[in-house]
Structure formats: C-alpha cells, structure tokens
Amino acid sequence: MATSNPVLRYAESRKNLTGCLCGLAGLAIGLTGAAGGLWPLVVLGLYGAGALIAPPERPDAPAFPSADEQLESLRADHATLREYLAEVELPEGAREGLDELDALFGALLEPGWVSDPEHLHVLARAVRQDVPEAVDAFVRTRWWSRVTPGSEPPERHLERQLAALREEAGLIASALQEAEELRQRAHTRYLEDRGA
C-alpha cells in the first residue's frame, strides 16, 4: 500500500522488513546467550546490516489505459465529433464522403474489432485531429472564397482530404477482415485435422 507519510512508507519498505527479520535473528542469538551482554548491539547491528543489503524500492510501473479504455474514450470523442459535424453546413459531395467516413469509423470503433495500438492511434488521430481540422479549414476558407472569386474551390480540398482519410481507415478495415479470414481458416483446419 503506497502512502505519502515518509515514516509509514519506510515502515513498509523492503529495507525495514529485511532489517526486522535480521534483527529477529539477532534477538534469537541474544536469547541463546551467545552474544552475552552485548545482545542489543547484535540486534541493532543485524537490523542495520539487513537494511543495507535489502534491495532498493522499485517505483510502480505507470498505469497506462488499456486498449479497451482507449477505445471507450475514442468512441466518446467520435460521438462528440458527430455532434460537431451535424451542425456544419457542407456541400453535397463532401457531406456524402463525410457520411461514408463516419459510418466506417462507427463500424471500426465497435467493441471487439480494433485492439492493435497502431490502428487505435490512426483512428484517434483521424477522429480527434484530421477530420475536425479538415472541416474547420473548409468552413474558414469557404468564407474567403466567396469574396475572392476565381480561386480553387475549398470543396475540392475537403473532398480529397476525406478520400485520403477513407483510404486510411479502409486499410484498417482490410487488415481486420484479413485477420478474421485467417482466424476462420485456421479454425476450419483445426476442426478438419481433429476429425481425421
């Protein structure tokens, strides 16, 4: 049990516990009469020796969120992103691409599918950074394009960005599909070999 009180922390430390065990051995030596009148010094000396030879305390390893906890957090962020995207006015082509991407994210973020940390990182970056930044850049640029005719329409950039994100998420979906197919084939092979 970790505590912030230094006295209690030392009382439950390895050094103190090892020293106490060695001190008990010194007390046993004193009770046998082998140490004579110097038994208190023997007990203290063995306690000190035990405290010195005990291994140092190791700090606890940091507790990082598990893949399931990361997935739950990412699902909550995806719900927040959906609320934001519902309020944004987008052209028809970009809206269709965004709906496809959103449906793909929703499918990938269902529990039990994505557990690879690299896939979680790619999805987290897309949900938390890439999609909001692409849509926000479109909304901001669209206003300027109205006052500066003749420039490239910002819809094209948004559609290209969404297509790149769909391709990236599609690679994750393909990897998951391939893993499931391999799992199914391996199970079929196992059942067939077991029956033979």
Side-chain angles (χ1 to χ4, degrees):
M1 175 189 301
T3 180
S4 61
N5 186 337
V7 174
L8 291 176
R9 200 173 10 192
Y10 180 75
E12 57 189 27
S13 71
R14 293 179 184 183
K15 291 193 173 290
N16 183 49
L17 295 176
T18 306
C20 287
L21 287 175
C22 291
L24 282 175
L27 187 59
I29 292 171
L31 290 176
T32 62
L38 299 175
W39 69 269
L41 292 176
V42 172
V43 171
L44 288 174
L46 286 175
Y47 173 83
L52 288 174
I53 64 168
E57 293 294 321
R58 291 187 307 256
D60 293 334
F64 295 112
S66 68
D68 290 339
E69 293 169 336
Q70 291 178 8
L71 184 61
E72 282 305 312
S73 171
L74 187 54
R75 291 180 77 206
D77 291 344
H78 182 237
T80 303
L81 177 65
R82 278 182 169 168
E83 292 171 9
Y84 164 71
L85 295 176
E87 296 176 10
V88 177
E89 183 182 327
L90 296 172
E92 188 62 34
R95 177 58 69 185
E96 288 174 6
L98 195 56
D99 289 344
E100 289 175 18
L101 182 62
D102 183 56
L104 185 53
F105 285 160
L108 290 172
L109 293 176
E110 285 295 318
W113 287 112
V114 176
S115 59
D116 182 356
E118 184 62 33
H119 291 165
L120 279 172
H121 172 71
V122 170
L123 289 172
R125 185 182 59 210
V127 167
R128 294 177 177 149
Q129 180 182 350
D130 295 338
V131 172
E133 189 173 316
V135 172
D136 186 57
F138 165 76
V139 170
R140 291 172 188 267
T141 308
R142 183 179 62 178
W143 184 85
W144 286 105
S145 67
R146 289 180 185 158
V147 289
T148 55
S151 62
E152 186 176 9
E155 296 87 28
R156 285 195 192 135
H157 286 288
L158 178 61
E159 289 170 5
R160 287 172 47 202
Q161 292 166 1
L162 294 175
L165 289 170
R166 266 195 319 274
E167 183 179 338
E168 190 175 49
L171 291 174
I172 294 173
S174 297
L176 291 174
Q177 180 182 5
E178 183 179 324
E180 287 302 313
E181 288 173 0
L182 286 173
R183 181 175 166 220
Q184 187 178 27
R185 276 189 242 136
H187 190 63
T188 302
R189 194 174 316 117
Y190 164 73
L191 292 174
E192 290 172 351
D193 290 347
R194 189 175 73 180

